[in-house]
Amino acid sequence: MSLVTTTEMFEKAYNGGYAIGAFNVNNMEIVQGITEACGELDAPVILQVSKGARAYANHTYLVKLVEAAIAENPNIPIALHLDHGDTFELCKDCIDGGFTSVMIDASSKSFEDNIALTKQVVDYAHANGVVVEAELGTLAGVEDEVSVEAGKESYTKPEEVQEFVERTGCDSLAIAIGTSHGAYKFTPEQCHRDENGKLVPPPLRFDVLEECIKRLPGFPIVLHGSSSVPQEFVEMVNAYGGQMPNAIGIPEEQLREAAKLAVCKINIDSDIRLAMTGNIRKHFAEHPDHFDPRQYLKPARQAVKDMVAHKIVNVLGCDGKAKDLSVR
Ligand code: G3H
Ligand code: 13P
Ligand code: ZN
């Protein structure tokens, strides 16, 4: 039993009009919540680890947790991916350390420097049977140490994607079409209010996506910053002592539309954080005497599982697809 790369996953997802969920993992409860949902729904999955996750939990612990998830869910293909690798050395560490996929995010560099670093990672990764995600364009929001103010993002230039993919040899490409990292994806000024007073964010740039697809037929596209920031969790956080005013995400219907096109990987992290935090805050408010971490981590893990199950069915459309894929 072993990890898979994303190659077959993306091929099937592209042709099948669905996407694979890429969920960030930082601890045991998150790994369990995600993979239990995937196991029950027969959904392939990408578990992704950021530089911050490695610093928090330690590379070896995370790899071993994922190995445990594979043993517990032998029927679903699981890929282990480095999220937002920013140096060759970090990517190499993960390739040498058992990951099956890495992202080199050199999107803040010039076009030529992005190509040079991405190609260096691709050459090493491919020589070791590992696949590479690269990025063109800049998302708004916060990721690791990089913060880009809402409104200061830059959309991917479709006229650059073909040359970038040809010269780097990358296996998938993350593009910027208006998604954004974190729980505050848009300022209230960027949104309008519907008839019920609810904030409605600006729509994703499907025109940019379509132009990229035209220039890269059959090539898997990735969307970062794709949490929907469910208002039920935001309300739960705020009702039990938290302060997350104006937290807002990407409407799920738009992500579902993207998944039907060339978008094969959809990244979700903030929704996991919100599901856990909302439920832990609620648990503490309702059980002020509890002090055993199992008491509050159990509902938090269940909330992650329920949220992921919802995404699989309603956003990604990858339920029941594991049986069409090899698991090792
Ligand atoms: O895109 C960033 C991911 O949400 C990972 O966040 O760097 O805080 O682990 P992190
Ligand atoms: P969210 O902050 O929208 O969950 O995005 C996560 C992500 O893109 C991880 O790379
Ligand atoms: Zn990201």
Side-chain angles (χ1 to χ4, degrees):
M1 215 167 333
S2 55
L3 290 160
V4 298
T5 72
T6 53
T7 308
E8 192 191 9
M9 285 183 183
F10 288 169
E11 201 182 294
K12 295 266 164 58
Y14 195 104
N15 295 325
Y18 64 90
I20 312 292
F23 299 97
N24 287 69
V25 296
N26 290 278
N27 66 15
M28 182 189 77
E29 286 75 13
I30 295 175
V31 171
Q32 289 177 331
I34 296 164
T35 53
E36 281 175 21
C38 294
E40 286 177 20
L41 289 165
D42 195 45
V45 69
I46 299 166
L47 299 178
Q48 57 187 11
V49 167
S50 68
K51 185 173 159 182
R54 280 175 98 240
Y56 171 76
N58 171 308
H59 179 98
T60 311
Y61 278 90
L62 291 168
V63 170
K64 296 291 174 196
L65 284 171
V66 172
E67 284 174 2
I70 293 172
E72 288 296 316
N73 298 278
N75 299 327
I76 56 163
I78 300 180
L80 177 55
H81 172 78
L82 168 66
D83 191 26
H84 294 287
D86 57 352
T87 60
F88 173 78
E89 291 69 29
L90 173 56
C91 293
K92 181 179 181 302
D93 259 15
C94 290
I95 293 165
D96 295 346
F99 284 41
T100 52
S101 173
V102 293
M103 174 189 196
I104 176 67
D105 180 358
S107 59
S108 59
K109 298 187 187 300
S110 70
F111 186 64
E112 285 302 325
D113 288 353
N114 189 351
I115 288 179
L117 181 52
T118 301
K119 177 148 178 28
Q120 188 190 7
V121 173
V122 167
D123 288 346
Y124 188 78
H126 285 183
N128 288 279
V130 169
V131 291
V132 178
E133 174 186 326
E135 178 166 334
L136 263 183
T138 319
L139 272 68
V142 182
E143 82 206 27
D144 275 327
E145 299 106 28
V146 185
S147 171
V148 180
E149 212 181 299
K152 295 272 185 317
E153 67 278 13
S154 57
Y155 299 116
T156 302
K157 298 187 181 96
E159 61 277 17
E160 290 183 349
V161 296
Q162 196 179 0
E163 180 185 348
F164 183 85
V165 168
E166 276 169 13
R167 287 178 59 193
T168 61
C170 66
D171 303 279
S172 60
L173 184 68
I175 62 168
I177 59 165
T179 60
S180 154
H181 287 109
Y184 303 91
K185 299 196 184 298
F186 306 98
T187 62
E189 296 71 45
Q190 289 176 297
C191 305
H192 70 272
R193 288 193 187 271
D194 68 10
E195 61 280 7
N196 304 314
K198 204 176 119 248
L199 283 176
V200 180
L204 294 182
R205 292 289 302 270
F206 276 87
D207 57 327
V208 175
L209 174 59
E210 298 279 6
E211 283 301 319
C212 292
I213 296 172
K214 248 190 248 167
R215 289 162 161 93
L216 291 173
F219 193 79
I221 301 291
V222 176
L223 285 189
H224 281 248
S226 296
S227 277
S228 297
V229 188
Q231 292 303 299
E232 61 176 293
F233 297 141
V234 176
E235 281 157 20
M236 204 185 275
V237 167
N238 290 336
Y240 294 102
Q243 283 184 15
M244 297 190 69
N246 299 325
I248 187 163
I250 310 294
E252 290 186 340
E253 321 76 70
Q254 292 181 37
L255 295 167
R256 183 72 202 96
E257 283 314 303
K260 288 181 191 160
L261 303 172
V263 171
C264 295
K265 172 173 180 274
I266 291 190
N267 284 14
I268 297 171
D269 186 6
S270 297
D271 287 355
I272 297 173
R273 299 176 182 196
L274 281 165
M276 292 191 86
T277 302
N279 279 279
I280 290 172
R281 280 193 176 279
K282 179 169 186 280
H283 188 90
F284 278 140
E286 290 173 352
H287 306 278
D289 56 323
H290 281 185
F291 69 99
D292 178 344
R294 292 173 296 190
Q295 290 168 313
Y296 55 88
L297 289 174
K298 199 171 166 185
R301 176 175 59 191
Q302 183 64 42
V304 171
K305 180 176 174 180
D306 294 344
M307 186 277 290
V308 169
H310 171 84
K311 299 282 178 190
I312 288 170
V313 174
N314 298 286
V315 177
L316 303 159
C318 62
D319 47 313
K321 306 298 187 191
K323 63 178 178 315
D324 307 333
L325 291 155
S326 343
V327 285
R328 61 186 68 87

